[in-house]
Amino acid sequence: MTVTHSSAGSVRGRPRGTSRQSRAGVAFVAGYVLLLIAFGVLPTCYAIYFAFTDAGGAFTGLSNFVTTAQDFRFVDSLGHVALYLVFWLLSLVVFVVLLALLLHKLSSGPLSQALRFLYYIPGALAGAASVLVWLFMLDPTVSPVSSLLETLGFHTFGEVIAPGNLALLFTIIAFWTGAGGWIVVMYGALNNIPKDVMEAARIDGANGWQTAWRVQIPMLRKWIVYMVILAFAGGAQLFVEPQLLSLASTGVAGRDYSLNQLTYDFAFQMNNINGAAAVSVELLVVSVSVAGVFVARSGFFDAD
């Protein structure tokens, strides 16, 4: 009888604890959900509405998409962003993983801690501030690395920011700003690899390169996919870097280098809000589609 009473008491007690946990979970998530709806879902729905209507609110089908795609700047902007994304994603995947592996090799000593701090510092700068730093760095007349720039054949700021160099320059700026945080994330993921797995690889005779290629990198797959998805979404919305560079160079870099700049031009220079919304929706569809492909092909949500 006593056992039955205890069991009943524990059974009765379990729902109360579960209920408290559920309420706590709802409280933590509720704030994010409200902000997501207010600043994510509703603006997206608003943009979709504008993309399929005209200035008077009448439904126009795909006419806004056709009009913007026929703009003489659209294809060039699309090519610029595509080239930048290739440089940005390749550099991010290769160098972030490589630097995280090297950092992991240093164990957790003072040097490792110092490097993690140094990697993270550039990410503390806002996008606009980081671009201003690089405007200073890229001007041979004031740059602390002016001798290097002159060795590479750049003697003026205009030569450095020539249109053919912009994709690479934006990649360097983006890597300097955003890669450090991902290196720290990958380093944490490497620390979560079970020690018995690493020990088994060592016993099997795997050297450092083999361990990294056959054990560590495969176990980082989901983190790499996550990084690529977010980096693609952010890179496709390239705006701050070319916009500030265009202003600083009095138009040498161009104010329609990226699709987001073109969207800004449609909205605030040509007063074509519907065309701007159409380009924004296209960017959304492409980003979501790419994310879906990566998630599906990588087994992102599969249990390990």
Side-chain angles (χ1 to χ4, degrees):
M1 181 65 68
T2 304
V3 173
T4 303
H5 179 73
S6 291
S7 300
S10 71
V11 170
R12 286 195 300 270
R14 194 174 302 139
R16 287 197 296 271
T18 303
S19 178
R20 284 196 297 270
Q21 292 177 358
S22 298
R23 286 196 298 271
V26 170
F28 276 113
V29 174
Y32 170 77
V33 171
L34 291 175
L35 291 174
L36 177 64
I37 293 172
F39 298 103
V41 176
L42 291 180
T44 299
C45 295
Y46 202 44
I48 292 173
Y49 166 76
F50 273 115
F52 289 95
T53 57
D54 59 16
F59 179 75
T60 59
L62 299 177
S63 63
N64 289 321
F65 297 91
V66 174
T67 300
T68 54
Q70 291 176 341
D71 188 281
F72 69 97
R73 300 165 294 176
F74 183 84
V75 174
D76 288 340
S77 298
L78 181 62
H80 295 157
V81 173
L83 182 61
Y84 164 71
L85 284 173
V86 171
F87 288 162
W88 167 228
L89 296 179
L90 283 177
S91 64
L92 199 64
V93 171
V94 173
F95 292 111
V96 163
V97 174
L98 179 61
L99 290 172
L101 289 169
L102 292 175
L103 187 63
H104 188 257
K105 278 288 185 182
L106 296 175
S107 185
S108 58
L111 179 59
S112 175
Q113 295 174 2
L115 286 175
R116 274 179 280 161
F117 179 71
L118 290 175
Y119 286 149
Y120 188 73
I121 286 178
L125 293 173
S130 65
V131 176
L132 293 176
V133 170
W134 277 96
L135 289 177
F136 172 77
M137 294 291 293
L138 296 174
D139 189 344
T141 60
V142 295
S143 174
V145 293
S146 57
S147 58
L148 175 60
L149 293 173
E150 291 177 359
T151 301
L152 295 174
F154 303 119
H155 303 285
T156 65
F157 184 60
E159 292 176 347
V160 175
I161 62 169
N165 301 333
L166 291 180
L168 183 58
L169 291 179
F170 294 147
T171 299
I172 294 172
I173 295 172
F175 188 88
W176 180 79
T177 304
W182 284 116
I183 292 171
V184 175
V185 169
M186 294 295 171
Y187 173 81
L190 287 169
N191 284 335
N192 286 329
I193 295 177
K195 292 183 178 180
D196 55 347
V197 173
M198 300 296 293
E199 184 65 20
R202 188 186 67 80
I203 293 173
D204 288 340
N207 57 31
W209 166 252
Q210 292 170 330
T211 301
W213 184 252
R214 298 182 180 275
V215 178
Q216 292 174 303
I217 292 178
M219 298 190 77
L220 287 178
R221 185 186 74 249
K222 292 184 179 181
W223 289 102
I224 295 173
V225 169
Y226 178 62
M227 176 180 68
V228 169
I229 290 173
L230 294 186
F232 183 93
Q237 300 175 62
L238 180 68
F239 177 78
V240 173
E241 292 84 353
Q243 188 72 4
L244 288 181
L245 201 58
S246 175
L247 294 174
S249 63
T250 60
V252 173
R255 70 180 193 185
D256 51 11
Y257 180 85
S258 71
L259 291 173
N260 249 1
Q261 280 184 292
L262 188 59
T263 301
Y264 179 86
D265 204 48
F266 275 128
F268 299 105
Q269 301 297 327
M270 302 170 61
N271 198 29
N272 185 359
I273 300 294
N274 304 93
V279 178
S280 299
V281 170
E282 288 172 346
L283 287 173
L284 173 65
V285 171
V286 170
S287 296
V288 171
S289 299
V290 170
V293 170
F294 273 103
V295 168
R297 297 296 297 272
S298 66
F300 189 80
F301 292 110
D302 294 345
D304 291 328

